[in-house]
């Protein structure tokens, strides 16, 4: 599969690097408002390819996106220390309409994968600007938050993250919802598995894990200015599910007809992803408190999006 990446900054380049190292894409093309940056990132990643595979990596203008099966949208300005993702909105929304028109002129059949923050709102903007079906415009959403949740749970339990099945729902941001009630370990409910492993999971532990997930981006941004490795790998995972028509279940953000009583809102839920994009949604059976929190998250995003159209 040929994959385009619009935005050759840290997130876009990390996605390209992950795609190349994993061999997920046969060809990667970078496009950026700074052509010299796109060329530099492509050349640097191309020099890593001989160690792992044969992915072709190049840079070009929007016309070079012709033939792409997926285009990752990573254009925009970065989040500043202490700045919420939603406060990025006014600075990033202006970038998208022109970018999407150019992408679709070159690659009208491509699926769009949105990484720019605030990703839920930007995914909604991308869907509206593109006119594509909602399942063909996929925000990275909480795929990274879910990975953080699984990693911290696994560390506490002393097991591999791949053996933990837990999801973060709603906004990729401060109102996100950690779905504790549906978390499982090897098919076993979380609390039962923790007891069998002899590991406590009281409220203080939950609070620490919640903070570790919810505040991760702020800590990373404070330390090095931005996050890019985790989301780069998450974007590569989404592309892999599309390329191989895996029907994998990932927590990504798309326009949702109704969730927790809120209509037409773009947020993350577990979605089945294949070659056609998002094919189905698997809303977990949540507790009343989790459902209320998800409704709050949906209301927040709906309110912000309502200011745009």
């Amino acid at each position: 599969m040929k994959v385009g990446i619009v935005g050759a900054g840290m997130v876009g380049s990390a996605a390209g690097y992950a795609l190349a190292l994993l061999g997920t894409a046969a060809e990667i093309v970078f496009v950026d408002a700074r052509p010299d940056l796109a060329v530099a990132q492509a050349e640097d990643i191309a020099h890593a390819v001989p160690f792992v595979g044969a992915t072709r990596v190049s840079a070009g203008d929007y016309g070079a996106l012709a033939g792409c099966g997926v285009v990752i949208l990573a254009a925009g300005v970065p989040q500043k220390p202490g700045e919420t993702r939603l406060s990025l909105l006014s600075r990033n929304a202006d970038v998208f309409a022109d970018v999407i028109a150019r992408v679709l002129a070159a690659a009208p059949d491509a699926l769009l994968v949105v990484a720019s923050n605030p990703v839920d709102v930007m995914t909604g903007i991308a869907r509206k600007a593109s006119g594509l079906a909602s399942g063909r415009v996929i925000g990275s959403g909480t795929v990274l938050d879910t990975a953080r949740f699984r990693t911290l749970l696994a560390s506490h339990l002393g097991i591999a993250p791949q053996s933990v099945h837990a999801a973060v729902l709603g906004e990729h941001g401060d109102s996100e919802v950690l779905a504790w009630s549906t978390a499982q370990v090897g098919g076993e409910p979380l609390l039962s598995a923790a007891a069998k492993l002899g590991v406590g999971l009281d409220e203080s532990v939950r609070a620490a894990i919640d903070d570790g997930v919810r505040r991760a981006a702020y800590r990373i941004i404070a330390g090095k200015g931005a996050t890019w490795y985790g989301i780069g790998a998450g974007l590569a995972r989404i592309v892999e599910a599309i390329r191989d028509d895996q029907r994998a279940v990932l927590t990504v953000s798309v326009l949702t007809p109704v969730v927790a009583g809120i209509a037409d809102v773009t947020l993350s839920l577990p979605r089945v992803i294949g070659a056609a994009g998002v094919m189905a949604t698997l809303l977990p059976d949540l507790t009343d408190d989790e459902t209320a929190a998800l409704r709050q998250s949906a209301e927040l995003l709906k309110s912000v999006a309502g200011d745009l159209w």
Side-chain angles (χ1 to χ4, degrees):
M1 175 183 282
K2 181 178 179 180
V3 177
I5 301 176
V6 179
M10 297 311 301
V11 169
S13 62
Y17 188 54
L19 287 165
L21 289 192
L22 294 169
T24 305
E27 182 176 358
I28 300 167
V29 178
F30 283 99
V31 177
D32 196 273
R34 285 182 51 194
D36 58 335
L37 176 62
V39 169
Q41 298 286 32
E43 187 174 2
D44 196 12
I45 293 171
H47 295 164
V49 168
F51 298 108
V52 294
T55 300
R56 299 183 300 280
V57 188
S58 63
D61 59 16
Y62 283 92
L65 298 175
C68 284
V70 173
V71 175
I72 295 171
L73 302 176
V77 292
Q79 188 175 356
K80 296 178 180 179
E83 182 180 33
T84 67
R85 295 180 181 94
L86 290 179
S87 67
L88 282 174
L89 181 57
S90 61
R91 298 198 293 137
N92 264 340
D94 294 340
V95 175
F96 256 49
D98 181 59
V99 165
I100 290 167
R102 294 186 182 199
V103 167
L104 292 180
D109 297 325
L111 273 69
L112 304 182
V113 176
V114 181
S116 302
N117 274 322
V119 69
D120 303 294
V121 179
M122 299 309 292
T123 301
I125 291 171
R127 191 211 60 80
K128 186 173 179 65
S130 68
L132 297 175
S134 59
R136 296 184 62 82
V137 183
I138 305 168
S140 57
T142 60
V143 70
L144 176 55
D145 309 272
T146 291
R148 290 167 173 161
F149 189 19
R150 293 176 177 177
T151 296
L152 291 174
L153 274 175
S155 177
H156 180 70
L157 295 171
I159 60 175
Q162 293 84 354
S163 297
V164 176
H165 298 278
V168 177
L169 315 175
E171 179 201 2
H172 172 53
D174 297 338
S175 72
E176 65 190 22
V177 180
L178 279 64
W180 287 94
S181 68
T182 61
Q184 293 188 336
V185 175
E188 187 88 4
L190 175 60
L191 290 180
S192 174
K196 291 178 180 179
L197 291 168
V199 178
L201 201 60
D202 60 20
E203 286 303 315
S204 65
V205 171
R206 290 189 181 213
I209 291 174
D210 184 285
D211 181 76
V213 174
R214 198 178 303 275
R215 304 293 301 175
Y218 294 110
R219 285 189 294 271
I220 294 169
I221 290 167
K224 68 174 193 174
T227 67
W228 55 82
Y229 293 125
I231 189 57
L235 291 164
R237 179 68 186 94
I238 294 168
V239 173
E240 179 187 45
I242 295 168
R243 181 199 66 182
D244 296 340
D245 194 22
Q246 288 180 345
R247 317 298 172 96
V249 178
L250 302 171
T251 53
V252 295
S253 183
V254 300
L255 178 65
T256 306
V258 63
V259 58
I262 308 300
D264 298 325
V265 61
T266 302
L267 47 56
S268 286
L269 294 170
R271 319 279 189 178
V272 180
I273 302 179
V278 169
M279 306 170 65
T281 296
L282 301 174
L283 178 63
D285 293 326
L286 303 173
T287 66
D288 290 345
D289 286 346
E290 289 168 343
T291 299
L294 183 58
R295 183 181 301 111
Q296 279 190 317
S297 188
E299 287 174 340
L300 171 65
L301 291 167
K302 179 81 170 180
S303 173
V304 173
D307 293 336
L308 299 173
W309 57 74

